[in-house]
Amino acid sequence: MLLQEKKPPTGNGEASESLAQALPLISAKYLCTPSVSQREYEAHSNESLEKMYSYFDTFPEKFEVAKEYDVNCSMGVLTVVVDSKIGTYVINKQSPNQQIWLSSPCSGPKRYDLVNNRWYYSRDDETLDQLLSREFRKIYGSDDIDFSKHI
């Protein structure tokens, strides 16, 4: 989005009007959320990857998965091979940016920021658990899939 250059305010309220017009474009949760420390990020991202790994590891017991289905978590990288047709999910830590990155064969790449203990994608305000729940419900045809307590 490009911002148009405007004339300087004349003092009759133009500055507050242009600010009021710009504010809806900025998600409020990012304005008031302090950044987390590196230690907090590491703890939360490690816990999230472990919880996702444990949840994905239960799928063969609950759903009909392909013989290629495989889950692996090592050195901050979680890999979920769904099958040869759908492909592979890769979810990994990006410590320098304090993000979790997702590569989804269904929706493509996304970068998630930790906001109020949830991983948000700033371009659509969808959380990582919402996206994974939606995509894996579609893959396995089951509304029983819910990542909200597994991230």
Side-chain angles (χ1 to χ4, degrees):
M1 166 194 258
L2 298 174
L3 296 175
Q4 294 179 351
E5 189 173 310
K6 296 200 176 228
K7 297 177 190 174
T10 59
N12 60 1
E14 286 180 35
S16 61
E17 284 178 8
S18 39
L19 179 60
Q21 291 170 350
L23 281 178
L25 303 174
I26 303 169
S27 181
K29 69 176 171 283
Y30 297 108
L31 291 175
C32 60
T33 304
S35 62
V36 296
S37 70
Q38 191 65 29
R39 195 173 105 226
E40 290 170 315
Y41 161 78
E42 292 294 336
H44 201 82
S45 59
N46 287 333
E47 180 182 11
S48 293
L49 289 172
E50 284 301 316
K51 283 182 169 182
M52 284 186 282
Y53 171 76
S54 294
Y55 190 51
F56 279 121
D57 203 35
T58 67
F59 279 29
E61 301 162 11
K62 300 176 181 179
F63 310 106
E64 276 192 48
V65 300
K67 64 180 179 177
E68 304 96 350
Y69 185 85
D70 186 49
V71 182
N72 185 35
C73 190
S74 177
M75 298 178 64
V77 180
L78 172 62
T79 305
V80 182
V81 179
V82 177
D83 65 24
S84 58
K85 182 181 175 187
I86 293 170
T88 301
Y89 282 78
V90 179
I91 305 168
N92 63 287
K93 291 171 42 174
Q94 284 295 318
S95 294
N97 302 336
Q98 292 190 341
Q99 293 177 323
I100 284 186
W101 287 9
L102 165 75
S103 175
S104 162
C106 300
S107 59
K110 296 190 181 217
R111 298 175 181 190
Y112 291 86
D113 296 297
L114 185 60
V115 179
N116 297 326
N117 293 318
R118 293 189 74 191
W119 297 103
Y120 280 91
Y121 181 54
S122 63
R123 293 182 184 234
D124 63 11
D125 281 344
E126 186 173 38
T127 62
L128 180 56
D129 61 283
Q130 290 169 332
L131 179 128
L132 291 174
S133 294
R134 180 171 42 81
E135 290 189 5
F136 278 89
R137 285 174 181 165
K138 186 174 181 180
I139 290 169
Y140 292 112
S142 174
D143 288 337
D144 293 336
I145 297 173
D146 183 4
F147 280 87
S148 63
K149 293 187 173 105
H150 303 285
I151 295 185

